[in-house]
Amino acid sequence: MITPDSDIVFQSYGRCCNQDAFFVDFYDRFMGKSDEIRNLFRATDMSAQRHLLRNGIMQLVLHARGMPATKLKALGESHSRTGYNIEPRWYSLWFDALLETLAKFDPQFNNDIEQSWRRAIEPGISIIRDSY
Ligand code: HEM
């Protein structure tokens, strides 16, 4: 279902996701929040990771627009305790880093757009986080 929130978020992401600098900035912020997070990516090819995240955020946006959760469930598996072992407490820092990066890169970003992002993608983040 294309709700107003999901439409606002789709357009906001469209203003950001074609810039590699968006994803560079996101990971700088995210890793800057904790040495433990930085450590998790110490062996990661970050150029490939940026492309994977571009798609991952798109999955969250598409889920808000009614797409089935299949791909988010797969991300839940890979991030769970039997996978990368990403503890649920890390997801709020991930979301903070995303909102900070959106605020910098989306020229139209404001508090209303931030609230739309929160309402639209929190359910999808929960699917990944709660698979832990
Ligand atoms: C890998 C998305 C949250 C750490 C990935 C991949 C995607 C992705 C698409 C690559 C596909 C895969 O390996 O399954 C997301 C999304 C998140 C999220 C959409 C939020 C809802 C987190 C958090 C952490 C994290 C909170 C750490 C605190 C990792 C690591 C990898 C990874 C360590 C593997 C890197 C490697 O291959 O070396 N993530 N992620 N992710 N993610 Fe996440």
Side-chain angles (χ1 to χ4, degrees):
M1 189 185 30
I2 300 185
T3 59
D5 281 338
S6 78
D7 224 23
I8 287 163
V9 159
F10 191 70
Q11 287 171 28
S12 170
Y13 194 46
R15 290 188 290 271
C16 299
C17 72
N18 285 328
Q19 307 169 63
D20 195 45
F22 177 88
F23 300 95
V24 173
D25 193 79
F26 169 82
Y27 277 113
D28 283 350
R29 284 171 197 281
F30 186 40
M31 293 187 206
K33 291 184 185 296
S34 145
D35 286 345
E36 283 182 78
I37 295 176
R38 189 176 295 282
N39 234 351
L40 286 166
F41 292 103
R42 68 192 176 281
T44 304
D45 171 352
M46 290 312 292
S47 153
Q49 185 65 24
R50 290 196 288 274
H51 285 282
L52 291 167
L53 184 70
R54 181 179 192 269
N55 185 256
I57 296 171
M58 186 54 91
Q59 296 306 324
L60 290 170
V61 172
L62 292 176
H63 182 252
R65 289 165 82 83
M67 220 187 55
T70 323
K71 295 203 168 131
L72 298 181
K73 286 184 180 151
L75 285 176
E77 273 298 301
S78 71
H79 287 66
S80 74
R81 71 184 81 220
T82 54
Y84 308 133
N85 194 23
I86 307 303
E87 292 175 35
R89 64 190 168 112
W90 294 125
Y91 286 86
S92 60
L93 292 182
W94 186 96
F95 203 9
D96 288 347
L98 178 65
L99 290 170
E100 288 162 22
T101 313
L102 287 163
K104 180 170 163 193
F105 282 83
D106 177 1
Q108 295 180 29
F109 198 82
N110 59 23
N111 189 53
D112 287 346
I113 293 183
E114 174 174 336
Q115 296 314 317
S116 291
W117 271 98
R118 289 185 181 282
R119 287 187 296 261
I121 72 165
E122 256 160 8
I125 293 175
S126 299
I127 291 173
I128 302 174
R129 188 189 54 223
D130 297 348
S131 305
Y132 186 71

Short mmCIF file of all heavy atoms in Angstrom, two decimals, residues 24-88:
data_model
loop_
_atom_site.label_atom_id
_atom_site.label_comp_id
_atom_site.label_asym_id
_atom_site.label_seq_id
_atom_site.Cartn_x
_atom_site.Cartn_y
_atom_site.Cartn_z
N VAL A 24 29.21 6.51 2.02
CA VAL A 24 30.49 6.73 2.70
C VAL A 24 30.22 7.45 4.02
O VAL A 24 30.70 7.05 5.09
CB VAL A 24 31.44 7.58 1.81
CG1 VAL A 24 32.71 7.96 2.58
CG2 VAL A 24 31.80 6.83 0.52
N ASP A 25 29.42 8.51 3.94
CA ASP A 25 29.11 9.30 5.13
C ASP A 25 28.36 8.47 6.17
O ASP A 25 28.65 8.54 7.37
CB ASP A 25 28.27 10.52 4.70
CG ASP A 25 28.16 11.56 5.79
OD1 ASP A 25 29.13 12.32 5.97
OD2 ASP A 25 27.12 11.60 6.48
N PHE A 26 27.40 7.66 5.69
CA PHE A 26 26.65 6.81 6.62
C PHE A 26 27.61 5.92 7.42
O PHE A 26 27.54 5.87 8.65
CB PHE A 26 25.62 5.94 5.88
CG PHE A 26 25.05 4.87 6.78
CD1 PHE A 26 24.01 5.16 7.65
CD2 PHE A 26 25.61 3.59 6.81
CE1 PHE A 26 23.52 4.19 8.53
CE2 PHE A 26 25.12 2.62 7.68
CZ PHE A 26 24.07 2.92 8.54
N TYR A 27 28.51 5.21 6.72
CA TYR A 27 29.38 4.27 7.46
C TYR A 27 30.38 5.01 8.34
O TYR A 27 30.74 4.51 9.41
CB TYR A 27 30.06 3.28 6.50
CG TYR A 27 29.14 2.12 6.17
CD1 TYR A 27 28.63 1.93 4.90
CD2 TYR A 27 28.76 1.22 7.17
CE1 TYR A 27 27.77 0.87 4.61
CE2 TYR A 27 27.91 0.16 6.90
CZ TYR A 27 27.41 -0.01 5.62
OH TYR A 27 26.56 -1.05 5.36
N ASP A 28 30.84 6.21 7.91
CA ASP A 28 31.71 7.00 8.80
C ASP A 28 30.98 7.32 10.10
O ASP A 28 31.53 7.18 11.18
CB ASP A 28 32.13 8.31 8.12
CG ASP A 28 33.21 8.09 7.08
OD1 ASP A 28 33.76 6.97 7.03
OD2 ASP A 28 33.49 9.02 6.31
N ARG A 29 29.73 7.75 9.97
CA ARG A 29 28.95 8.09 11.17
C ARG A 29 28.67 6.86 12.02
O ARG A 29 28.80 6.89 13.25
CB ARG A 29 27.58 8.66 10.77
CG ARG A 29 27.63 10.06 10.30
CD ARG A 29 26.27 10.46 9.74
NE ARG A 29 26.46 11.64 8.93
CZ ARG A 29 26.59 12.86 9.42
NH1 ARG A 29 26.48 13.07 10.71
NH2 ARG A 29 26.79 13.88 8.62
N PHE A 30 28.24 5.78 11.35
CA PHE A 30 27.83 4.58 12.08
C PHE A 30 29.03 4.02 12.84
O PHE A 30 28.95 3.74 14.04
CB PHE A 30 27.27 3.57 11.07
CG PHE A 30 26.68 2.33 11.68
CD1 PHE A 30 25.93 2.38 12.85
CD2 PHE A 30 26.86 1.09 11.06
CE1 PHE A 30 25.38 1.23 13.40
CE2 PHE A 30 26.31 -0.06 11.60
CZ PHE A 30 25.58 0.01 12.78
N MET A 31 30.18 3.89 12.17
CA MET A 31 31.36 3.35 12.83
C MET A 31 31.90 4.32 13.87
O MET A 31 32.50 3.90 14.86
CB MET A 31 32.45 3.04 11.81
CG MET A 31 32.08 1.92 10.88
SD MET A 31 33.52 1.52 9.88
CE MET A 31 32.73 0.84 8.45
N GLY A 32 31.67 5.62 13.66
CA GLY A 32 32.12 6.62 14.62
C GLY A 32 31.37 6.53 15.95
O GLY A 32 31.79 7.08 16.95
N LYS A 33 30.25 5.81 15.96
CA LYS A 33 29.44 5.72 17.17
C LYS A 33 29.96 4.70 18.16
O LYS A 33 29.58 4.71 19.32
CB LYS A 33 27.98 5.42 16.81
CG LYS A 33 27.31 6.62 16.11
CD LYS A 33 25.85 6.38 15.83
CE LYS A 33 25.25 7.51 15.02
NZ LYS A 33 25.26 8.81 15.74
N SER A 34 30.80 3.76 17.71
CA SER A 34 31.28 2.72 18.61
C SER A 34 32.44 1.96 17.99
O SER A 34 32.38 1.57 16.81
CB SER A 34 30.12 1.76 18.92
OG SER A 34 30.57 0.45 19.07
N ASP A 35 33.49 1.73 18.78
CA ASP A 35 34.61 0.92 18.29
C ASP A 35 34.18 -0.51 18.02
O ASP A 35 34.73 -1.18 17.16
CB ASP A 35 35.76 0.93 19.31
CG ASP A 35 36.50 2.26 19.30
OD1 ASP A 35 36.31 3.05 18.34
OD2 ASP A 35 37.25 2.53 20.26
N GLU A 36 33.19 -0.98 18.79
CA GLU A 36 32.69 -2.34 18.55
C GLU A 36 32.08 -2.45 17.16
O GLU A 36 32.25 -3.45 16.46
CB GLU A 36 31.63 -2.72 19.59
CG GLU A 36 32.19 -3.08 20.94
CD GLU A 36 31.09 -3.49 21.91
OE1 GLU A 36 30.61 -4.62 21.82
OE2 GLU A 36 30.70 -2.63 22.74
N ILE A 37 31.36 -1.41 16.75
CA ILE A 37 30.76 -1.42 15.41
C ILE A 37 31.88 -1.36 14.36
O ILE A 37 31.91 -2.13 13.41
CB ILE A 37 29.76 -0.26 15.24
CG1 ILE A 37 28.56 -0.47 16.18
CG2 ILE A 37 29.28 -0.18 13.78
CD1 ILE A 37 27.54 0.66 16.17
N ARG A 38 32.84 -0.46 14.58
CA ARG A 38 33.95 -0.34 13.63
C ARG A 38 34.65 -1.69 13.45
O ARG A 38 34.98 -2.11 12.34
CB ARG A 38 34.94 0.72 14.12
CG ARG A 38 36.01 1.08 13.11
CD ARG A 38 36.91 2.19 13.62
NE ARG A 38 36.24 3.47 13.80
CZ ARG A 38 35.94 4.32 12.81
NH1 ARG A 38 36.26 4.02 11.58
NH2 ARG A 38 35.32 5.44 13.06
N ASN A 39 34.82 -2.40 14.55
CA ASN A 39 35.48 -3.71 14.53
C ASN A 39 34.75 -4.75 13.69
O ASN A 39 35.38 -5.59 13.05
CB ASN A 39 35.55 -4.21 15.98
CG ASN A 39 36.97 -4.56 16.35
OD1 ASN A 39 37.85 -4.58 15.47
ND2 ASN A 39 37.20 -4.83 17.61
N LEU A 40 33.41 -4.67 13.71
CA LEU A 40 32.62 -5.64 12.95
C LEU A 40 32.91 -5.54 11.45
O LEU A 40 32.72 -6.50 10.71
CB LEU A 40 31.12 -5.39 13.18
CG LEU A 40 30.56 -5.81 14.54
CD1 LEU A 40 29.18 -5.21 14.74
CD2 LEU A 40 30.49 -7.33 14.64
N PHE A 41 33.35 -4.36 11.01
CA PHE A 41 33.58 -4.14 9.58
C PHE A 41 35.07 -4.12 9.24
O PHE A 41 35.44 -3.69 8.15
CB PHE A 41 32.93 -2.82 9.14
CG PHE A 41 31.42 -2.84 9.19
CD1 PHE A 41 30.74 -2.23 10.22
CD2 PHE A 41 30.69 -3.49 8.20
CE1 PHE A 41 29.34 -2.25 10.28
CE2 PHE A 41 29.30 -3.51 8.24
CZ PHE A 41 28.62 -2.89 9.28
N ARG A 42 35.91 -4.61 10.17
CA ARG A 42 37.36 -4.44 9.94
C ARG A 42 37.83 -5.20 8.71
O ARG A 42 38.78 -4.78 8.04
CB ARG A 42 38.16 -4.83 11.19
CG ARG A 42 38.12 -6.32 11.52
CD ARG A 42 38.67 -6.60 12.92
NE ARG A 42 38.55 -8.01 13.25
CZ ARG A 42 37.42 -8.59 13.65
NH1 ARG A 42 36.30 -7.87 13.78
NH2 ARG A 42 37.38 -9.88 13.89
N ALA A 43 37.16 -6.34 8.37
CA ALA A 43 37.61 -7.12 7.22
C ALA A 43 36.68 -6.94 6.02
O ALA A 43 36.76 -7.70 5.05
CB ALA A 43 37.69 -8.60 7.62
N THR A 44 35.78 -5.98 6.10
CA THR A 44 34.76 -5.83 5.06
C THR A 44 35.26 -4.98 3.89
O THR A 44 35.93 -3.97 4.11
CB THR A 44 33.51 -5.16 5.67
OG1 THR A 44 33.06 -5.94 6.78
CG2 THR A 44 32.38 -5.05 4.66
N ASP A 45 34.93 -5.42 2.69
CA ASP A 45 35.16 -4.60 1.49
C ASP A 45 34.09 -3.51 1.49
O ASP A 45 32.93 -3.75 1.14
CB ASP A 45 35.05 -5.51 0.25
CG ASP A 45 35.04 -4.71 -1.06
OD1 ASP A 45 34.98 -3.46 -1.02
OD2 ASP A 45 35.09 -5.35 -2.12
N MET A 46 34.45 -2.30 1.93
CA MET A 46 33.44 -1.27 2.16
C MET A 46 32.82 -0.75 0.87
O MET A 46 31.69 -0.27 0.87
CB MET A 46 34.00 -0.11 2.99
CG MET A 46 34.27 -0.48 4.45
SD MET A 46 32.92 -1.37 5.29
CE MET A 46 31.64 -0.12 5.38
N SER A 47 33.55 -0.86 -0.22
CA SER A 47 32.96 -0.40 -1.48
C SER A 47 31.79 -1.32 -1.86
O SER A 47 30.70 -0.86 -2.24
CB SER A 47 34.07 -0.34 -2.52
OG SER A 47 33.55 -0.52 -3.79
N ALA A 48 31.99 -2.63 -1.71
CA ALA A 48 30.89 -3.58 -1.95
C ALA A 48 29.78 -3.40 -0.92
O ALA A 48 28.58 -3.44 -1.25
CB ALA A 48 31.43 -5.01 -1.91
N GLN A 49 30.18 -3.17 0.32
CA GLN A 49 29.21 -3.03 1.41
C GLN A 49 28.28 -1.83 1.16
O GLN A 49 27.08 -1.89 1.45
CB GLN A 49 29.95 -2.88 2.74
CG GLN A 49 29.06 -2.84 3.97
CD GLN A 49 28.30 -4.13 4.21
OE1 GLN A 49 28.72 -5.19 3.76
NE2 GLN A 49 27.18 -4.04 4.91
N ARG A 50 28.83 -0.75 0.62
CA ARG A 50 28.00 0.44 0.35
C ARG A 50 26.90 0.11 -0.66
O ARG A 50 25.76 0.56 -0.52
CB ARG A 50 28.87 1.59 -0.15
CG ARG A 50 29.76 2.17 0.92
CD ARG A 50 30.32 3.53 0.55
NE ARG A 50 31.34 3.47 -0.49
CZ ARG A 50 32.65 3.26 -0.27
NH1 ARG A 50 33.07 3.07 0.97
NH2 ARG A 50 33.50 3.24 -1.25
N HIS A 51 27.26 -0.70 -1.67
CA HIS A 51 26.25 -1.09 -2.65
C HIS A 51 25.19 -2.00 -2.04
O HIS A 51 23.99 -1.88 -2.34
CB HIS A 51 26.91 -1.78 -3.85
CG HIS A 51 27.62 -0.82 -4.75
ND1 HIS A 51 26.93 -0.03 -5.67
CD2 HIS A 51 28.91 -0.48 -4.84
CE1 HIS A 51 27.82 0.74 -6.29
NE2 HIS A 51 29.02 0.49 -5.81
N LEU A 52 25.64 -2.91 -1.16
CA LEU A 52 24.70 -3.81 -0.51
C LEU A 52 23.74 -3.03 0.39
O LEU A 52 22.54 -3.32 0.44
CB LEU A 52 25.45 -4.87 0.31
CG LEU A 52 26.24 -5.88 -0.52
CD1 LEU A 52 27.21 -6.67 0.36
CD2 LEU A 52 25.29 -6.84 -1.24
N LEU A 53 24.27 -2.02 1.07
CA LEU A 53 23.40 -1.23 1.95
C LEU A 53 22.41 -0.41 1.14
O LEU A 53 21.26 -0.23 1.55
CB LEU A 53 24.22 -0.31 2.85
CG LEU A 53 23.32 0.45 3.84
CD1 LEU A 53 22.74 -0.50 4.89
CD2 LEU A 53 24.05 1.60 4.51
N ARG A 54 22.86 0.08 -0.01
CA ARG A 54 21.94 0.85 -0.88
C ARG A 54 20.70 0.01 -1.14
O ARG A 54 19.57 0.47 -1.02
CB ARG A 54 22.66 1.21 -2.18
CG ARG A 54 21.82 2.00 -3.15
CD ARG A 54 22.67 2.32 -4.39
NE ARG A 54 22.04 3.31 -5.25
CZ ARG A 54 21.22 3.01 -6.26
NH1 ARG A 54 20.93 1.76 -6.53
NH2 ARG A 54 20.70 3.98 -6.99
N ASN A 55 20.93 -1.25 -1.48
CA ASN A 55 19.82 -2.16 -1.73
C ASN A 55 19.06 -2.50 -0.44
O ASN A 55 17.82 -2.59 -0.46
CB ASN A 55 20.36 -3.43 -2.41
CG ASN A 55 19.24 -4.36 -2.79
OD1 ASN A 55 19.01 -5.36 -2.13
ND2 ASN A 55 18.51 -4.01 -3.84
N GLY A 56 19.80 -2.66 0.66
CA GLY A 56 19.16 -3.02 1.93
C GLY A 56 18.17 -1.94 2.38
O GLY A 56 17.05 -2.26 2.81
N ILE A 57 18.57 -0.67 2.27
CA ILE A 57 17.65 0.41 2.66
C ILE A 57 16.46 0.43 1.71
O ILE A 57 15.32 0.64 2.12
CB ILE A 57 18.39 1.77 2.70
CG1 ILE A 57 19.46 1.74 3.79
CG2 ILE A 57 17.40 2.92 2.95
CD1 ILE A 57 20.39 2.95 3.79
N MET A 58 16.74 0.16 0.41
CA MET A 58 15.63 0.11 -0.55
C MET A 58 14.62 -0.98 -0.15
O MET A 58 13.41 -0.79 -0.28
CB MET A 58 16.16 -0.11 -1.97
CG MET A 58 15.10 -0.04 -3.03
SD MET A 58 14.11 1.50 -2.99
CE MET A 58 15.05 2.54 -4.08
N GLN A 59 15.13 -2.11 0.37
CA GLN A 59 14.21 -3.17 0.82
C GLN A 59 13.31 -2.68 1.96
O GLN A 59 12.13 -3.01 2.01
CB GLN A 59 14.99 -4.42 1.29
CG GLN A 59 15.80 -5.11 0.20
CD GLN A 59 14.98 -5.46 -1.02
OE1 GLN A 59 13.80 -5.82 -0.90
NE2 GLN A 59 15.58 -5.35 -2.19
N LEU A 60 13.90 -1.88 2.86
CA LEU A 60 13.09 -1.32 3.96
C LEU A 60 12.02 -0.39 3.40
O LEU A 60 10.87 -0.40 3.85
CB LEU A 60 13.98 -0.55 4.95
CG LEU A 60 14.94 -1.39 5.81
CD1 LEU A 60 15.92 -0.48 6.54
CD2 LEU A 60 14.15 -2.23 6.81
N VAL A 61 12.41 0.43 2.42
CA VAL A 61 11.47 1.39 1.82
C VAL A 61 10.37 0.64 1.06
O VAL A 61 9.18 0.98 1.17
CB VAL A 61 12.23 2.37 0.90
CG1 VAL A 61 11.28 3.24 0.11
CG2 VAL A 61 13.19 3.24 1.71
N LEU A 62 10.76 -0.40 0.32
CA LEU A 62 9.76 -1.15 -0.45
C LEU A 62 8.82 -1.93 0.46
O LEU A 62 7.64 -2.09 0.16
CB LEU A 62 10.45 -2.09 -1.45
CG LEU A 62 11.20 -1.39 -2.59
CD1 LEU A 62 11.93 -2.41 -3.45
CD2 LEU A 62 10.24 -0.56 -3.46
N HIS A 63 9.35 -2.41 1.59
CA HIS A 63 8.48 -3.10 2.55
C HIS A 63 7.41 -2.15 3.08
O HIS A 63 6.24 -2.53 3.23
CB HIS A 63 9.30 -3.69 3.69
CG HIS A 63 8.47 -4.46 4.66
ND1 HIS A 63 8.19 -4.00 5.93
CD2 HIS A 63 7.80 -5.63 4.55
CE1 HIS A 63 7.40 -4.88 6.55
NE2 HIS A 63 7.15 -5.87 5.73
N ALA A 64 7.81 -0.88 3.31
CA ALA A 64 6.84 0.13 3.75
C ALA A 64 5.78 0.36 2.67
O ALA A 64 4.68 0.82 2.96
CB ALA A 64 7.56 1.44 4.08
N ARG A 65 6.11 0.07 1.43
CA ARG A 65 5.16 0.22 0.33
C ARG A 65 4.44 -1.10 0.02
O ARG A 65 3.88 -1.26 -1.06
CB ARG A 65 5.88 0.73 -0.93
CG ARG A 65 6.30 2.19 -0.78
CD ARG A 65 7.30 2.61 -1.82
NE ARG A 65 6.74 2.97 -3.11
CZ ARG A 65 6.24 4.17 -3.40
NH1 ARG A 65 6.17 5.10 -2.49
NH2 ARG A 65 5.79 4.42 -4.60
N GLY A 66 4.53 -2.05 0.93
CA GLY A 66 3.71 -3.25 0.82
C GLY A 66 4.40 -4.48 0.27
O GLY A 66 3.76 -5.52 0.12
N MET A 67 5.70 -4.37 -0.03
CA MET A 67 6.38 -5.56 -0.54
C MET A 67 6.53 -6.61 0.56
O MET A 67 6.76 -6.26 1.70
CB MET A 67 7.76 -5.18 -1.08
CG MET A 67 8.12 -5.90 -2.35
SD MET A 67 9.82 -5.57 -2.81
CE MET A 67 10.67 -6.06 -1.32
N PRO A 68 6.39 -7.90 0.20
CA PRO A 68 6.55 -8.94 1.21
C PRO A 68 7.92 -8.88 1.89
O PRO A 68 8.88 -8.38 1.32
CB PRO A 68 6.39 -10.25 0.44
CG PRO A 68 6.12 -9.91 -0.96
CD PRO A 68 6.07 -8.43 -1.12
N ALA A 69 7.97 -9.44 3.11
CA ALA A 69 9.16 -9.27 3.96
C ALA A 69 10.27 -10.27 3.67
O ALA A 69 11.26 -10.31 4.40
CB ALA A 69 8.75 -9.36 5.42
N THR A 70 10.14 -11.05 2.60
CA THR A 70 11.10 -12.13 2.33
C THR A 70 12.56 -11.68 2.44
O THR A 70 13.37 -12.32 3.13
CB THR A 70 10.88 -12.68 0.90
OG1 THR A 70 9.48 -12.67 0.64
CG2 THR A 70 11.43 -14.08 0.76
N LYS A 71 12.91 -10.57 1.79
CA LYS A 71 14.32 -10.15 1.78
C LYS A 71 14.75 -9.62 3.15
O LYS A 71 15.89 -9.79 3.55
CB LYS A 71 14.56 -9.10 0.70
CG LYS A 71 14.32 -9.71 -0.69
CD LYS A 71 15.04 -8.98 -1.79
CE LYS A 71 15.01 -9.80 -3.08
NZ LYS A 71 14.57 -9.03 -4.26
N LEU A 72 13.82 -9.00 3.87
CA LEU A 72 14.15 -8.51 5.21
C LEU A 72 14.35 -9.69 6.15
O LEU A 72 15.22 -9.66 7.03
CB LEU A 72 13.06 -7.59 5.74
CG LEU A 72 12.83 -6.31 4.92
CD1 LEU A 72 11.74 -5.45 5.56
CD2 LEU A 72 14.13 -5.50 4.80
N LYS A 73 13.58 -10.76 5.96
CA LYS A 73 13.76 -11.94 6.81
C LYS A 73 15.13 -12.57 6.55
O LYS A 73 15.79 -13.06 7.47
CB LYS A 73 12.64 -12.96 6.57
CG LYS A 73 11.33 -12.50 7.19
CD LYS A 73 10.24 -13.54 7.05
CE LYS A 73 8.94 -13.05 7.67
NZ LYS A 73 7.75 -13.63 7.03
N ALA A 74 15.56 -12.55 5.29
CA ALA A 74 16.89 -13.08 4.96
C ALA A 74 17.97 -12.22 5.63
O ALA A 74 18.97 -12.76 6.15
CB ALA A 74 17.10 -13.12 3.45
N LEU A 75 17.78 -10.89 5.66
CA LEU A 75 18.73 -10.02 6.36
C LEU A 75 18.69 -10.30 7.86
O LEU A 75 19.72 -10.27 8.54
CB LEU A 75 18.42 -8.54 6.10
CG LEU A 75 18.82 -8.00 4.72
CD1 LEU A 75 18.37 -6.55 4.57
CD2 LEU A 75 20.33 -8.09 4.53
N GLY A 76 17.49 -10.61 8.38
CA GLY A 76 17.36 -10.98 9.78
C GLY A 76 18.20 -12.21 10.09
O GLY A 76 18.89 -12.28 11.11
N GLU A 77 18.15 -13.19 9.20
CA GLU A 77 18.96 -14.41 9.35
C GLU A 77 20.44 -14.08 9.37
O GLU A 77 21.18 -14.53 10.25
CB GLU A 77 18.71 -15.36 8.16
CG GLU A 77 17.53 -16.30 8.30
CD GLU A 77 17.69 -17.24 9.47
OE1 GLU A 77 18.68 -18.00 9.50
OE2 GLU A 77 16.82 -17.21 10.36
N SER A 78 20.89 -13.31 8.37
CA SER A 78 22.34 -13.07 8.25
C SER A 78 22.87 -12.24 9.43
O SER A 78 24.02 -12.38 9.81
CB SER A 78 22.69 -12.39 6.92
OG SER A 78 22.25 -11.05 6.87
N HIS A 79 22.00 -11.41 10.03
CA HIS A 79 22.45 -10.56 11.14
C HIS A 79 22.22 -11.20 12.51
O HIS A 79 22.61 -10.63 13.52
CB HIS A 79 21.73 -9.20 11.08
CG HIS A 79 22.22 -8.31 9.97
ND1 HIS A 79 22.05 -8.62 8.64
CD2 HIS A 79 22.90 -7.13 9.99
CE1 HIS A 79 22.60 -7.67 7.89
NE2 HIS A 79 23.11 -6.76 8.67
N SER A 80 21.61 -12.38 12.54
CA SER A 80 21.20 -12.98 13.82
C SER A 80 22.39 -13.55 14.58
O SER A 80 23.52 -13.52 14.09
CB SER A 80 20.18 -14.09 13.56
OG SER A 80 20.86 -15.22 13.02
N ARG A 81 22.11 -14.12 15.74
CA ARG A 81 23.19 -14.65 16.58
C ARG A 81 23.94 -15.79 15.90
O ARG A 81 25.09 -16.07 16.25
CB ARG A 81 22.65 -15.09 17.95
CG ARG A 81 21.80 -16.34 17.92
CD ARG A 81 21.23 -16.64 19.30
NE ARG A 81 20.05 -15.83 19.57
CZ ARG A 81 19.78 -15.28 20.75
NH1 ARG A 81 20.59 -15.44 21.76
NH2 ARG A 81 18.68 -14.57 20.91
N THR A 82 23.29 -16.46 14.95
CA THR A 82 24.00 -17.52 14.23
C THR A 82 24.70 -16.98 12.98
O THR A 82 25.38 -17.71 12.28
CB THR A 82 23.02 -18.65 13.81
OG1 THR A 82 21.94 -18.05 13.09
CG2 THR A 82 22.48 -19.39 15.01
N GLY A 83 24.52 -15.69 12.71
CA GLY A 83 25.20 -15.06 11.57
C GLY A 83 26.24 -14.05 12.07
O GLY A 83 27.16 -14.42 12.79
N TYR A 84 26.04 -12.77 11.72
CA TYR A 84 27.01 -11.75 12.15
C TYR A 84 26.90 -11.41 13.62
O TYR A 84 27.71 -10.66 14.15
CB TYR A 84 26.82 -10.45 11.33
CG TYR A 84 26.81 -10.62 9.84
CD1 TYR A 84 25.82 -10.03 9.05
CD2 TYR A 84 27.78 -11.39 9.20
CE1 TYR A 84 25.81 -10.18 7.68
CE2 TYR A 84 27.76 -11.55 7.82
CZ TYR A 84 26.77 -10.94 7.06
OH TYR A 84 26.75 -11.09 5.71
N ASN A 85 25.88 -11.98 14.28
CA ASN A 85 25.68 -11.76 15.72
C ASN A 85 25.53 -10.28 16.06
O ASN A 85 26.24 -9.75 16.93
CB ASN A 85 26.82 -12.41 16.52
CG ASN A 85 26.49 -12.51 18.00
OD1 ASN A 85 25.31 -12.52 18.38
ND2 ASN A 85 27.51 -12.58 18.82
N ILE A 86 24.63 -9.61 15.37
CA ILE A 86 24.37 -8.19 15.60
C ILE A 86 23.31 -8.04 16.68
O ILE A 86 22.12 -8.30 16.44
CB ILE A 86 23.91 -7.49 14.30
CG1 ILE A 86 24.88 -7.74 13.14
CG2 ILE A 86 23.70 -5.99 14.55
CD1 ILE A 86 26.31 -7.32 13.40
N GLU A 87 23.75 -7.61 17.87
CA GLU A 87 22.81 -7.52 18.99
C GLU A 87 21.76 -6.44 18.73
O GLU A 87 22.06 -5.40 18.14
CB GLU A 87 23.59 -7.18 20.27
CG GLU A 87 24.48 -8.32 20.73
CD GLU A 87 25.33 -7.92 21.92
OE1 GLU A 87 24.85 -7.14 22.78
OE2 GLU A 87 26.47 -8.38 21.98
N PRO A 88 20.53 -6.70 19.20
CA PRO A 88 19.42 -5.77 18.95
C PRO A 88 19.73 -4.33 19.36
O PRO A 88 19.26 -3.39 18.72
CB PRO A 88 18.28 -6.35 19.80
CG PRO A 88 18.56 -7.83 19.82
CD PRO A 88 20.07 -7.96 19.84
#
